Coordinates of all heavy atoms in Angstrom, one line a residue:
M1 N -68.4 -67.4 -9.4 CA -67.2 -68.3 -9.5 C -65.9 -67.5 -9.7 O -65.9 -66.4 -10.3 CB -67.4 -69.2 -10.7 CG -66.3 -70.4 -10.7 SD -66.3 -71.2 -12.3 CE -65.0 -70.3 -13.1
S2 N -64.9 -67.9 -9.1 CA -63.6 -67.3 -9.2 C -62.6 -68.3 -9.7 O -62.8 -69.5 -9.6 CB -63.1 -66.7 -7.9 OG -64.0 -65.9 -7.2
I3 N -61.5 -67.8 -10.1 CA -60.4 -68.7 -10.5 C -59.3 -68.5 -9.5 O -58.8 -67.4 -9.3 CB -59.8 -68.4 -11.9 CG1 -60.9 -68.8 -13.0 CG2 -58.6 -69.3 -12.2 CD1 -61.3 -70.2 -13.1
L4 N -58.9 -69.5 -8.9 CA -57.8 -69.4 -7.8 C -56.5 -70.0 -8.4 O -56.5 -71.0 -9.1 CB -58.3 -70.3 -6.7 CG -57.6 -70.1 -5.3 CD1 -57.9 -68.8 -4.7 CD2 -58.1 -71.2 -4.4
K5 N -55.5 -69.3 -8.1 CA -54.2 -69.9 -8.5 C -53.7 -70.7 -7.3 O -53.5 -70.2 -6.2 CB -53.2 -68.8 -8.8 CG -53.4 -68.2 -10.2 CD -52.3 -67.2 -10.5 CE -52.5 -66.7 -11.9 NZ -51.6 -65.5 -12.1
L6 N -53.5 -71.9 -7.5 CA -53.1 -72.8 -6.5 C -51.8 -73.6 -6.8 O -51.7 -74.2 -7.9 CB -54.2 -73.9 -6.2 CG -54.0 -74.8 -5.0 CD1 -54.0 -73.9 -3.7 CD2 -55.1 -75.8 -4.9
R7 N -50.8 -73.5 -5.9 CA -49.5 -74.0 -6.3 C -49.6 -75.5 -5.9 O -49.9 -75.9 -4.8 CB -48.4 -73.4 -5.4 CG -47.0 -73.7 -5.8 CD -46.1 -72.7 -5.1 NE -44.7 -73.0 -5.5 CZ -43.9 -73.8 -4.8 NH1 -44.3 -74.2 -3.6 NH2 -42.7 -74.0 -5.2
C8 N -49.1 -76.4 -6.8 CA -49.1 -77.8 -6.5 C -48.0 -78.0 -5.4 O -46.9 -77.6 -5.6 CB -48.6 -78.5 -7.8 SG -48.4 -80.3 -7.6
K9 N -48.4 -78.8 -4.4 CA -47.5 -79.0 -3.3 C -46.5 -80.1 -3.6 O -45.6 -80.3 -2.9 CB -48.3 -79.3 -2.0 CG -49.1 -80.5 -2.1 CD -50.0 -80.6 -0.8 CE -51.0 -81.7 -1.0 NZ -52.2 -81.5 -0.1
F10 N -46.7 -80.8 -4.7 CA -45.8 -81.9 -5.1 C -44.7 -81.4 -6.0 O -43.5 -81.7 -5.9 CB -46.5 -83.0 -5.8 CG -47.7 -83.5 -4.9 CD1 -49.0 -83.2 -5.1 CD2 -47.4 -84.4 -3.9 CE1 -50.0 -83.6 -4.4 CE2 -48.4 -84.9 -3.0 CZ -49.8 -84.5 -3.3
C11 N -45.0 -80.6 -7.0 CA -44.0 -80.2 -8.0 C -43.9 -78.6 -8.1 O -42.9 -78.2 -8.8 CB -44.4 -80.7 -9.4 SG -45.8 -79.9 -10.2
G12 N -44.8 -77.9 -7.5 CA -44.6 -76.4 -7.5 C -45.2 -75.7 -8.6 O -45.2 -74.5 -8.7
Y13 N -45.9 -76.4 -9.5 CA -46.5 -75.8 -10.7 C -47.8 -75.0 -10.2 O -48.6 -75.5 -9.4 CB -46.9 -76.9 -11.7 CG -47.5 -76.4 -13.0 CD1 -46.7 -75.9 -14.0 CD2 -48.9 -76.4 -13.1 CE1 -47.2 -75.4 -15.2 CE2 -49.5 -75.9 -14.3 CZ -48.7 -75.4 -15.3 OH -49.2 -75.0 -16.5
W14 N -48.0 -73.8 -10.8 CA -49.2 -73.1 -10.5 C -50.4 -73.5 -11.4 O -50.3 -73.3 -12.6 CB -48.9 -71.6 -10.6 CG -48.1 -71.1 -9.5 CD1 -46.7 -71.0 -9.5 CD2 -48.4 -70.6 -8.3 NE1 -46.3 -70.5 -8.4 CE2 -47.3 -70.2 -7.6 CE3 -49.8 -70.4 -7.7 CZ2 -47.4 -69.6 -6.3 CZ3 -49.8 -69.9 -6.4 CH2 -48.6 -69.5 -5.7
N15 N -51.4 -73.9 -10.8 CA -52.6 -74.4 -11.5 C -53.7 -73.4 -11.2 O -53.8 -72.7 -10.2 CB -53.0 -75.8 -11.0 CG -52.1 -76.8 -11.4 OD1 -52.2 -77.4 -12.5 ND2 -51.0 -77.1 -10.6
R16 N -54.7 -73.4 -12.2 CA -55.9 -72.6 -12.0 C -57.0 -73.5 -11.6 O -57.3 -74.5 -12.2 CB -56.2 -71.9 -13.3 CG -55.1 -70.9 -13.8 CD -55.2 -70.6 -15.2 NE -56.4 -69.9 -15.6 CZ -56.4 -68.5 -15.5 NH1 -55.4 -67.9 -15.2 NH2 -57.5 -67.9 -15.8
V17 N -57.7 -73.1 -10.5 CA -58.8 -73.9 -9.9 C -60.0 -73.1 -9.9 O -60.0 -72.0 -9.3 CB -58.3 -74.3 -8.5 CG1 -59.5 -75.1 -7.9 CG2 -57.0 -75.1 -8.6
P18 N -61.1 -73.6 -10.5 CA -62.4 -72.9 -10.3 C -63.0 -73.1 -8.9 O -63.1 -74.2 -8.5 CB -63.3 -73.5 -11.4 CG -62.7 -74.8 -11.7 CD -61.2 -74.8 -11.3
V19 N -63.3 -72.0 -8.3 CA -63.8 -72.1 -6.9 C -65.0 -71.2 -6.6 O -65.3 -70.3 -7.4 CB -62.7 -71.7 -5.9 CG1 -61.5 -72.6 -5.9 CG2 -62.3 -70.2 -6.2
N20 N -65.7 -71.5 -5.6 CA -66.7 -70.6 -5.0 C -66.2 -70.1 -3.7 O -65.6 -70.8 -2.9 CB -68.0 -71.4 -4.7 CG -69.0 -71.4 -5.9 OD1 -68.9 -70.4 -6.7 ND2 -69.8 -72.4 -6.0
K21 N -66.4 -68.8 -3.5 CA -65.9 -68.2 -2.2 C -67.0 -68.6 -1.2 O -68.2 -68.4 -1.4 CB -65.8 -66.7 -2.3 CG -65.1 -66.1 -1.2 CD -64.9 -64.6 -1.5 CE -64.2 -64.0 -0.2 NZ -63.9 -62.6 -0.5
V22 N -66.6 -69.0 0.0 CA -67.5 -69.3 1.1 C -66.9 -68.6 2.4 O -65.7 -68.4 2.5 CB -67.7 -70.8 1.3 CG1 -68.4 -71.4 0.2 CG2 -66.3 -71.5 1.6
L23 N -67.8 -68.2 3.2 CA -67.4 -67.7 4.5 C -67.6 -68.7 5.6 O -68.7 -69.3 5.7 CB -68.2 -66.4 4.9 CG -67.8 -65.2 4.0 CD1 -68.8 -64.0 4.3 CD2 -66.4 -64.8 4.2
V24 N -66.6 -69.0 6.3 CA -66.7 -70.1 7.3 C -66.6 -69.4 8.7 O -65.7 -68.6 9.0 CB -65.5 -71.0 7.1 CG1 -65.5 -72.1 8.2 CG2 -65.6 -71.7 5.8
E25 N -67.6 -69.9 9.5 CA -67.6 -69.3 10.9 C -66.4 -69.8 11.7 O -66.1 -71.0 11.7 CB -68.9 -69.7 11.5 CG -69.2 -68.8 12.7 CD -70.6 -69.2 13.3 OE1 -71.5 -69.4 12.5 OE2 -70.6 -69.4 14.5
Q26 N -65.8 -69.0 12.4 CA -64.6 -69.4 13.1 C -64.9 -69.3 14.7 O -65.6 -68.4 15.1 CB -63.4 -68.4 12.8 CG -62.1 -69.0 13.1 CD -61.0 -68.1 12.7 OE1 -61.1 -66.9 12.7 NE2 -59.9 -68.6 12.3
D27 N -64.5 -70.3 15.4 CA -64.7 -70.3 16.8 C -64.0 -69.1 17.4 O -62.8 -68.8 17.1 CB -64.1 -71.6 17.5 CG -65.0 -72.7 17.1 OD1 -66.2 -72.5 16.8 OD2 -64.5 -73.9 17.0
S28 N -64.6 -68.5 18.3 CA -64.1 -67.3 18.9 C -64.2 -67.4 20.5 O -65.2 -68.0 20.9 CB -64.8 -66.0 18.4 OG -64.7 -65.0 19.3
P29 N -63.3 -66.9 21.2 CA -63.4 -67.1 22.7 C -64.6 -66.2 23.2 O -65.1 -66.5 24.3 CB -62.1 -66.5 23.2 CG -61.4 -65.8 22.0 CD -62.0 -66.4 20.8
E30 N -65.0 -65.2 22.5 CA -66.1 -64.4 22.8 C -67.4 -64.8 22.1 O -67.4 -64.6 20.9 CB -65.8 -62.9 22.5 CG -66.9 -61.9 22.7 CD -67.5 -61.9 24.1 OE1 -66.8 -61.5 25.0 OE2 -68.7 -62.3 24.3
P31 N -68.3 -65.5 22.8 CA -69.4 -66.1 22.1 C -70.3 -65.1 21.3 O -71.0 -65.5 20.4 CB -70.2 -66.8 23.1 CG -69.7 -66.4 24.4 CD -68.3 -65.7 24.2
K32 N -70.4 -63.9 21.7 CA -71.2 -62.9 21.0 C -70.6 -62.4 19.8 O -71.2 -61.7 18.9 CB -71.5 -61.7 21.9 CG -72.6 -62.1 23.0 CD -72.8 -61.0 24.0 CE -73.7 -61.5 25.1 NZ -73.8 -60.5 26.2
V33 N -69.3 -62.6 19.6 CA -68.6 -62.1 18.4 C -68.4 -63.3 17.5 O -67.7 -64.2 17.9 CB -67.2 -61.5 18.8 CG1 -66.5 -61.0 17.6 CG2 -67.5 -60.3 19.8
K34 N -68.9 -63.1 16.3 CA -68.7 -64.2 15.3 C -67.7 -63.7 14.3 O -67.8 -62.6 13.7 CB -70.0 -64.5 14.6 CG -71.0 -65.3 15.5 CD -72.1 -66.0 14.6 CE -73.1 -66.6 15.5 NZ -72.7 -67.7 16.2
A35 N -66.7 -64.6 14.1 CA -65.7 -64.2 13.1 C -65.8 -65.1 11.9 O -66.1 -66.3 12.1 CB -64.3 -64.4 13.8
Y36 N -65.7 -64.6 10.8 CA -65.8 -65.3 9.6 C -64.5 -65.2 8.8 O -64.0 -64.2 8.6 CB -67.0 -64.9 8.7 CG -68.3 -65.1 9.3 CD1 -68.9 -64.2 10.1 CD2 -68.9 -66.3 9.1 CE1 -70.1 -64.4 10.7 CE2 -70.2 -66.6 9.7 CZ -70.8 -65.6 10.5 OH -72.0 -65.9 11.1
I37 N -64.1 -66.4 8.3 CA -62.9 -66.3 7.4 C -63.3 -66.8 6.0 O -64.0 -67.7 5.9 CB -61.8 -67.2 8.0 CG1 -62.3 -68.6 8.4 CG2 -61.1 -66.5 9.2 CD1 -61.1 -69.5 8.7
P38 N -62.8 -66.0 5.1 CA -63.1 -66.4 3.6 C -62.3 -67.7 3.2 O -61.0 -67.7 3.5 CB -62.7 -65.2 2.8 CG -61.7 -64.5 3.7 CD -62.0 -64.8 5.1
M39 N -63.0 -68.6 2.6 CA -62.3 -69.8 2.1 C -62.8 -70.0 0.7 O -63.8 -69.5 0.3 CB -62.5 -70.9 3.0 CG -61.9 -70.7 4.4 SD -61.9 -72.1 5.5 CE -60.6 -73.1 4.9
Y40 N -62.2 -71.0 0.0 CA -62.6 -71.3 -1.3 C -62.9 -72.7 -1.5 O -62.1 -73.6 -1.1 CB -61.5 -70.8 -2.3 CG -61.3 -69.3 -2.2 CD1 -60.3 -68.8 -1.3 CD2 -62.1 -68.4 -2.9 CE1 -60.2 -67.4 -1.1 CE2 -62.0 -67.1 -2.8 CZ -61.0 -66.6 -1.9 OH -60.9 -65.2 -1.8
E41 N -64.0 -73.0 -2.1 CA -64.5 -74.4 -2.3 C -64.3 -74.7 -3.8 O -64.9 -74.1 -4.7 CB -65.9 -74.4 -1.9 CG -66.5 -75.8 -2.1 CD -68.0 -75.9 -1.9 OE1 -68.7 -74.8 -2.0 OE2 -68.5 -76.9 -1.5
P42 N -63.4 -75.7 -4.1 CA -63.2 -76.1 -5.5 C -64.5 -76.6 -6.0 O -65.2 -77.4 -5.4 CB -62.1 -77.2 -5.3 CG -61.4 -77.0 -4.1 CD -62.5 -76.4 -3.2
L43 N -64.7 -76.3 -7.3 CA -66.0 -76.8 -7.9 C -65.8 -78.2 -8.5 O -66.8 -78.8 -8.9 CB -66.4 -75.8 -9.0 CG -66.7 -74.4 -8.6 CD1 -67.1 -73.5 -9.7 CD2 -67.7 -74.4 -7.5
E44 N -64.6 -78.6 -8.7 CA -64.3 -79.9 -9.3 C -63.0 -80.4 -8.8 O -62.2 -79.7 -8.2 CB -64.3 -79.8 -10.8 CG -63.2 -78.8 -11.3 CD -63.3 -78.5 -12.8 OE1 -64.4 -78.1 -13.2 OE2 -62.4 -78.6 -13.5
V45 N -62.8 -81.7 -9.0 CA -61.5 -82.3 -8.7 C -60.5 -81.8 -9.7 O -60.7 -81.9 -10.9 CB -61.5 -83.8 -8.7 CG1 -60.1 -84.4 -8.6 CG2 -62.4 -84.4 -7.7
V46 N -59.4 -81.2 -9.2 CA -58.4 -80.6 -10.1 C -57.1 -81.3 -9.9 O -56.6 -81.5 -8.8 CB -58.2 -79.1 -9.7 CG1 -57.1 -78.5 -10.6 CG2 -59.5 -78.3 -10.0
K47 N -56.6 -81.8 -11.1 CA -55.3 -82.4 -11.0 C -54.3 -81.5 -11.6 O -54.5 -80.7 -12.5 CB -55.3 -83.7 -11.9 CG -56.2 -84.8 -11.3 CD -56.2 -86.0 -12.2 CE -57.1 -87.1 -11.6 NZ -57.2 -88.2 -12.5
C48 N -53.1 -81.6 -11.0 CA -51.9 -80.7 -11.5 C -51.7 -81.0 -13.0 O -51.6 -82.1 -13.4 CB -50.7 -81.0 -10.6 SG -49.3 -80.1 -11.2
K49 N -51.6 -79.9 -13.7 CA -51.3 -80.1 -15.2 C -50.0 -80.6 -15.4 O -49.7 -81.2 -16.5 CB -51.5 -78.7 -15.9 CG -53.0 -78.4 -16.0 CD -53.1 -77.4 -17.1 CE -54.6 -77.2 -17.4 NZ -55.0 -75.8 -17.4
K50 N -49.0 -80.5 -14.5 CA -47.7 -80.9 -14.8 C -47.5 -82.3 -14.3 O -47.0 -83.2 -15.0 CB -46.7 -80.0 -14.1 CG -45.3 -80.1 -14.6 CD -44.5 -79.0 -14.0 CE -43.0 -79.3 -14.4 NZ -42.1 -78.3 -13.6
C51 N -47.8 -82.6 -13.0 CA -47.5 -84.0 -12.5 C -48.7 -84.9 -12.3 O -48.5 -86.1 -12.1 CB -46.8 -83.8 -11.1 SG -47.8 -83.3 -9.8
G52 N -49.9 -84.4 -12.5 CA -51.1 -85.2 -12.5 C -51.7 -85.6 -11.2 O -52.6 -86.3 -11.1
K53 N -51.0 -85.1 -10.1 CA -51.6 -85.4 -8.8 C -52.8 -84.5 -8.5 O -52.9 -83.4 -8.9 CB -50.5 -85.2 -7.7 CG -49.4 -86.2 -8.0 CD -48.6 -86.4 -6.7 CE -47.7 -87.7 -6.8 NZ -46.3 -87.4 -6.6
I54 N -53.7 -85.0 -7.7 CA -54.9 -84.2 -7.3 C -54.5 -83.1 -6.3 O -53.9 -83.4 -5.3 CB -56.0 -85.1 -6.6 CG1 -56.5 -86.1 -7.7 CG2 -57.1 -84.3 -6.1 CD1 -57.5 -87.2 -7.2
I55 N -54.8 -82.0 -6.6 CA -54.4 -80.8 -5.8 C -55.6 -80.1 -5.1 O -55.5 -79.3 -4.2 CB -53.5 -79.8 -6.5 CG1 -54.3 -79.2 -7.7 CG2 -52.2 -80.4 -6.9 CD1 -53.7 -78.0 -8.3
A56 N -56.8 -80.4 -5.6 CA -58.0 -79.7 -5.1 C -59.2 -80.6 -5.3 O -59.3 -81.3 -6.3 CB -58.2 -78.4 -5.7
E57 N -60.0 -80.7 -4.3 CA -61.2 -81.5 -4.4 C -62.4 -80.7 -3.7 O -62.2 -79.9 -2.8 CB -61.1 -82.8 -3.6 CG -60.1 -83.7 -4.1 CD -60.1 -85.0 -3.3 OE1 -61.0 -85.8 -3.5 OE2 -59.1 -85.3 -2.6
P58 N -63.6 -80.9 -4.2 CA -64.7 -80.1 -3.7 C -64.9 -80.2 -2.2 O -65.4 -79.2 -1.6 CB -65.9 -80.7 -4.4 CG -65.3 -81.2 -5.8 CD -64.0 -81.7 -5.4
K59 N -64.6 -81.3 -1.6 CA -64.9 -81.4 -0.1 C -63.8 -80.7 0.7 O -64.0 -80.6 1.9 CB -65.0 -82.8 0.3 CG -63.9 -83.7 -0.1 CD -64.2 -85.2 0.3 CE -63.0 -86.1 0.1 NZ -62.8 -86.5 -1.3
E60 N -62.7 -80.4 0.1 CA -61.6 -79.7 0.8 C -61.5 -78.3 0.6 O -61.1 -77.8 -0.5 CB -60.3 -80.4 0.5 CG -60.2 -81.8 1.0 CD -58.9 -82.5 0.7 OE1 -57.9 -81.8 0.2 OE2 -58.8 -83.7 0.7
L61 N -61.9 -77.5 1.6 CA -61.9 -76.0 1.4 C -60.4 -75.5 1.4 O -59.6 -76.1 2.1 CB -62.7 -75.3 2.5 CG -64.2 -75.6 2.5 CD1 -64.8 -74.9 3.6 CD2 -64.8 -75.3 1.2
I62 N -60.2 -74.5 0.6 CA -58.9 -73.9 0.5 C -58.9 -72.5 1.2 O -59.8 -71.8 1.0 CB -58.5 -73.7 -0.9 CG1 -58.6 -75.0 -1.7 CG2 -57.1 -73.1 -1.0 CD1 -58.5 -74.8 -3.2
R63 N -57.9 -72.3 2.0 CA -57.7 -71.1 2.6 C -56.6 -70.3 1.9 O -55.6 -70.8 1.6 CB -57.2 -71.3 4.1 CG -57.1 -70.0 4.8 CD -57.6 -70.2 6.2 NE -57.6 -68.9 6.7 CZ -57.3 -68.6 8.0 NH1 -57.0 -69.5 8.8 NH2 -57.3 -67.3 8.4
I64 N -56.9 -69.0 1.6 CA -56.0 -68.4 0.6 C -55.2 -67.1 0.9 O -55.4 -66.6 1.9 CB -56.9 -68.1 -0.7 CG1 -56.6 -69.3 -1.6 CG2 -56.7 -66.8 -1.3 CD1 -55.3 -70.0 -1.3
L65 N -54.5 -66.7 0.0 CA -53.6 -66.7 -1.1 C -54.0 -65.7 -2.2 O -54.0 -64.5 -2.0 CB -53.3 -68.1 -1.8 CG -52.5 -69.0 -1.0 CD1 -52.3 -70.3 -1.8 CD2 -51.3 -68.6 -0.2
R66 N -54.3 -66.2 -3.4 CA -54.5 -65.3 -4.5 C -55.6 -65.6 -5.4 O -55.8 -66.7 -5.8 CB -53.2 -65.4 -5.4 CG -52.3 -64.1 -5.3 CD -51.4 -64.1 -6.5 NE -50.4 -65.1 -6.5 CZ -49.4 -65.1 -7.5 NH1 -49.4 -64.2 -8.4 NH2 -48.5 -66.0 -7.4
V67 N -56.4 -64.6 -5.8 CA -57.5 -64.9 -6.7 C -57.5 -63.9 -7.8 O -57.1 -62.7 -7.6 CB -58.8 -64.7 -5.9 CG1 -60.0 -65.0 -6.8 CG2 -58.9 -65.6 -4.7
E68 N -57.9 -64.3 -9.0 CA -58.0 -63.4 -10.1 C -59.5 -62.9 -10.2 O -60.4 -63.7 -10.1 CB -57.7 -64.1 -11.4 CG -56.2 -64.2 -11.7 CD -55.8 -64.9 -12.9 OE1 -56.8 -65.3 -13.7 OE2 -54.7 -65.2 -13.2
Ligands
ZN1 ZN1 -47.7 -80.9 -9.7

């Protein structure tokens, strides 16, 4: 598990989000070459500590940014 710093898109507050790192296969024009991009899967629904809006959900992968 990692902690991701995720900026609230509504108010700009930086929140900490527990995530799992996952590698997602990316479509490539060359079928023999597989490209993977690292993404982060939130472990729980996270609400912004400042404005209370939902900023991360387990079903929505995050593409990143910054990890501690
Ligand atoms: Zn917010």
Side-chain angles (χ1 to χ4, degrees):
M1 192 195 93
S2 309
I3 296 293
L4 193 70
K5 281 187 179 167
L6 189 63
R7 190 168 182 268
C8 174
K9 62 188 167 205
F10 304 101
C11 73
Y13 183 82
W14 286 92
N15 290 268
R16 298 159 68 87
V17 178
V19 294
N20 271 332
K21 188 174 182 180
V22 291
L23 290 174
V24 177
E25 198 177 314
Q26 202 176 31
D27 289 334
S28 157
E30 171 59 64
K32 285 177 185 167
V33 178
K34 288 196 186 293
Y36 292 91
I37 47 171
M39 297 186 75
Y40 297 92
E41 179 185 26
L43 300 181
E44 58 192 51
V45 173
V46 177
K47 291 181 181 172
C48 176
K49 281 198 173 133
K50 195 171 173 191
C51 72
K53 295 203 166 123
I54 293 174
I55 58 165
E57 296 185 69
K59 58 181 184 283
E60 290 181 14
L61 296 181
I62 303 168
R63 183 142 187 216
I64 263 338
L65 293 185
R66 253 204 285 183
V67 183
E68 278 179 4

